[in-house]
Amino acid sequence: HPIVGDCLSKMLAIRAMNAPVTEAFPWSHPHRVMDEMCELARVRRIRFHDLRNTFASHLVMSGSSIYDVKVLLGHPIKGPIAA
């Protein structure tokens, strides 16, 4: 996927400069950063929530239990699935 390569390239360049990640990625405006990354990668706009949903879907498709997905996504563990 093109966004992965562009993101990886940018992160490796930041690491090579020994620059703090906060300087390269202004987390006070994370949606702006995501929009810029999508534009650079020439892909449609992706929201952080889209990545979260994709992560969860891939976990389930690869055989992870719903309980494990809940834990990894930070959902509260209560009710019948907690057993």
Side-chain angles (χ1 to χ4, degrees), residues 8 19 29 42 46-47 49 53 55 65 68 79:
L8 180 60
H29 303 288
R42 296 182 180 163
I46 299 172
R47 302 170 301 144
H49 197 76
N53 288 346
F55 174 70
S65 71
D68 289 340

Side-chain angles (χ1 to χ4, degrees), residues 4 43 62 75 81:
V4 174
V43 297
S62 68
H75 288 285
I81 288 182

